[in-house]
Amino acid sequence: MNYASPWNRGRLSAWDVLDGERRLSLASEGTTGEGEGVTVERTYRRRTVEDLSLRLVVLEAVESKTFEFEFRDVELP
Amino acid sequence: MHESLFLELMFGGLLPLCPSLADRAAQAQGKTRIAPASNGVEIEEIHVVRRVALDAVKEADLTNMQLGLWFSADWEAKNGRSPPLIHLQELSAVEDDTGRVLSTERRLKQIEPLRGEVRGNTWKNAGGKQGPVVSLLLDAPARGAGRIKSVKGKAQVTLTKPVSLTFNDLAAVDGKILDHPDMKNLAALKLRFSTEEKDGRVSAKLSAR
């Protein structure tokens, strides 16, 4: 799932619900869009959220470049 | 200039990589150059598709053109496992030489990098340069067209590193915009997390708006 633009969601690379260090296995997963937003819902065979944790992997910028480009009279194949 | 010496000098950094030399290098390697590079950007591919298909629905996208752009540079840092982010900040109208506009409003709406940062999934490394390739899906040119008049725009490419963040108390973040002391700008992503316990199952939702 690419949490794409225009909400900088491209920066959310992954998320998981953990029990200790172990990822919970999924019972189901669904995605819904609403306007320009998106919600990912995951269900797990588990009675309570107690002792569970959430782990995100977020992309942090390390280097950025801006490219301005212009091509003219490009031959078509 | 002898071909091997030319390549050695160029890739050894002893010759500036101006467009004419780069063109000659591509030719020397027996490779195609579609157009001279523009400030590090190369046209990586033009792929025109014209199809007919039995039983295709009316809305099927059978005729189009993929325009690949390679944003090449000398990057200081490149984490091979972390995807780059690409934001196409500007794109002028793309038009063929018959006057047909290929970047129609419908096509522009579907080009995600025009709306903000998206993760790149194609990375090209060639000729001592490297960078992401972005493919733009546009209308196909007219049958009689021979050239694209202009492809002009501006893009920001950001290299990244992955940062792992853990929230140990789910109740404390339930229904809230996520924030974390290890990443000061996380709240700006406006990620809302919530959980629900129902019928012997736990449901976790992560929303971005």
Side-chain angles (χ1 to χ4, degrees):
Chain A
M1 176 71 201
N2 188 349
Y3 285 85
S5 57
W7 315 273
N8 290 334
R9 293 184 309 190
R11 296 205 178 206
L12 175 61
S13 178
W15 66 278
D16 289 298
V17 176
L18 306 179
D19 180 3
E21 288 297 311
R22 188 177 56 86
R23 275 173 54 186
L24 289 188
S25 56
L26 276 174
S28 65
E29 181 178 41
T31 302
T32 54
E34 186 182 319
E36 292 197 324
V38 66
T39 298
V40 175
E41 179 174 8
R42 294 172 177 171
T43 57
Y44 306 91
R45 291 185 187 87
R46 180 88 180 204
R47 291 190 173 279
T48 173
V49 297
E50 272 181 40
D51 301 325
L52 298 182
S53 60
L54 169 68
R55 181 179 61 198
L56 306 182
V57 179
V58 181
L59 303 179
E60 191 171 69
V62 293
E63 188 179 353
S64 191
K65 290 183 191 294
T66 298
F67 296 83
E68 292 193 47
F69 57 89
E70 183 171 10
F71 302 96
R72 290 195 168 275
D73 295 322
V74 180
E75 194 170 348
L76 284 162
Chain B
M1 188 182 297
H2 190 273
E3 181 181 304
S4 60
L5 175 61
F6 169 75
L7 288 172
E8 192 177 326
L9 287 170
M10 191 190 74
F11 293 115
L14 299 175
L15 288 177
L17 197 61
C18 65
S20 61
L21 288 176
D23 286 344
R24 288 171 59 189
Q27 288 162 9
Q29 293 174 86
K31 293 180 180 175
T32 304
R33 164 153 270 139
I34 298 168
S38 176
N39 295 322
V41 183
E42 296 258 14
I43 294 181
E44 202 267 340
E45 181 186 37
I46 297 175
H47 185 187
V48 179
V49 175
R50 298 184 197 280
R51 289 178 60 212
V52 288
L54 179 67
D55 295 332
V57 295
K58 270 186 177 176
E59 298 77 18
D61 189 9
L62 300 179
T63 302
N64 55 53
M65 182 181 79
Q66 287 176 47
L67 175 69
L69 296 175
W70 178 34
F71 298 95
S72 69
D74 292 318
W75 298 98
E76 289 175 16
K78 174 71 187 91
N79 183 332
R81 290 178 298 174
S82 191
L85 299 167
I86 302 118
H87 182 190
L88 192 53
Q89 296 168 323
E90 296 170 17
L91 182 67
S92 299
V94 180
E95 193 178 309
D96 70 20
D97 56 2
T98 72
R100 175 181 283 186
V101 175
L102 312 183
S103 55
T104 59
E105 194 175 328
R106 182 175 68 94
R107 294 291 185 187
L108 292 177
K109 279 183 183 171
Q110 294 172 348
I111 298 175
E112 281 202 332
L114 271 175
R115 296 156 60 201
E117 289 179 334
V118 295
R119 294 199 294 274
N121 53 17
T122 305
W123 186 267
K124 178 171 177 161
N125 189 339
K129 302 276 185 180
Q130 54 183 321
V133 176
V134 174
S135 187
L136 310 179
L137 188 63
L138 304 171
D139 272 7
R143 286 190 181 275
R147 291 177 179 274
I148 298 172
K149 284 184 185 173
S150 168
V151 180
K152 182 180 179 185
K154 181 178 170 185
Q156 185 175 57
V157 176
T158 302
L159 301 194
T160 64
K161 67 174 182 181
V163 177
S164 184
L165 305 169
T166 302
F167 300 83
N168 288 315
D169 185 353
L170 294 191
V173 296
D174 195 15
K176 295 179 180 167
I177 298 283
L178 294 174
D179 199 2
H180 197 284
D182 291 347
M183 181 172 270
K184 62 180 179 182
N185 294 326
L186 181 65
L189 302 189
K190 295 183 179 172
L191 303 170
R192 188 181 299 276
F193 181 75
S194 63
T195 57
E196 188 180 7
E197 297 168 354
K198 192 177 178 184
D199 301 330
R201 296 194 174 196
V202 164
S203 159
K205 288 184 183 176
L206 190 57
S207 303
R209 304 200 179 278

